[in-house]
Amino acid sequence: MNKSLVTGLVIGAAVVTTGAAVANLDIFDRSPKFAEVLKVDAVKETTRTPREVCSDHVVTHQAPVKDEKRIAGTVIGAVVGGVLGNQIGDGRGQKLATAAGAAAGGYAGNKVQQRMQNGNTYTTTEKRCETVYDSNEKIVGYNVRYRLGDKEDSVRMDRDPGAQIPVVNGELQLAHN
């Protein structure tokens, strides 16, 4: 075989291979490779989770009253008041003093028993619960405003794209690589 023929075939094969490689590199493709990111806004979702919070409180109660009409205090006060009133004066004045002492003593005895009953208390501890809500905010996406060539548009993405978004064959590449 002729040496120049073989050399020509090798050079021809090299030119064809190089041409195919250049065609795949899209050297002559002038379309944008990236879209310029103009603005990114995080889209947030707030969730409220209920939970129960309980605490112990000391509560003062009035003890049950056995003598609601305070008859015992009234009677004892009247007797004491009558005895004291009987010590004053003589004759008809003594009877009047005894009656007045009994009336005043009955009233005083009633009030003393009332104060004693109101002061007769006991304390207990009660558990009180209420529902409170914890708020939790999470990012669910990003609203992205971008420019591709002379056109501005927006898209929702699952991540912050940074300063630019890759473009292949005129389409945004939104998937995370």
Side-chain angles (χ1 to χ4, degrees):
M1 231 193 212
N2 189 350
K3 197 175 186 185
S4 57
L5 181 64
V6 172
T7 304
L9 285 174
V10 170
I11 291 174
V15 169
V16 169
T17 305
T18 304
V22 168
N24 284 339
L25 289 178
D26 290 332
I27 292 175
F28 303 107
D29 183 10
R30 300 279 183 223
S31 65
K33 302 293 182 209
F34 294 97
E36 176 188 0
V37 173
L38 304 173
K39 184 177 182 184
V40 177
D41 291 320
V43 179
K44 298 176 183 178
E45 181 179 272
T46 302
T47 56
R48 290 175 31 128
T49 308
R51 67 181 168 95
E52 188 174 57
V53 175
C54 298
S55 59
D56 292 333
H57 292 273
V58 176
V59 179
T60 302
H61 301 278
Q62 185 170 346
V65 177
K66 294 180 178 123
D67 184 8
E68 288 184 26
K69 305 248 189 244
R70 299 181 291 275
I71 294 172
T74 304
V75 170
I76 292 171
V79 169
V80 170
V83 168
L84 291 175
N86 192 36
Q87 305 294 324
I88 298 173
D90 57 356
R92 192 175 145 174
Q94 186 178 25
K95 288 180 185 177
L96 220 92
T98 302
Y107 179 78
N110 184 292
K111 291 301 175 187
V112 168
Q113 185 176 0
Q114 181 182 24
R115 251 190 331 246
M116 289 176 62
Q117 286 174 344
N118 290 343
N120 189 10
T121 61
Y122 65 96
T123 58
T124 60
T125 303
E126 293 181 1
K127 180 181 272 190
R128 293 184 184 163
C129 298
E130 65 179 332
T131 301
V132 297
Y133 292 88
D134 295 327
S135 292
N136 186 10
E137 195 173 75
K138 74 176 188 174
I139 296 175
V140 295
Y142 295 87
N143 288 333
V144 179
R145 184 114 185 113
Y146 66 91
R147 179 181 300 126
L148 181 58
D150 294 336
K151 180 181 136 192
E152 283 190 19
D153 205 352
S154 61
V155 66
R156 168 80 56 97
M157 295 182 70
D158 63 350
R159 62 182 171 82
D160 186 336
Q164 54 190 10
I165 303 170
V167 175
V168 175
N169 296 328
E171 295 289 324
L172 295 176
Q173 299 301 300
L174 301 177
H176 188 65
N177 293 334

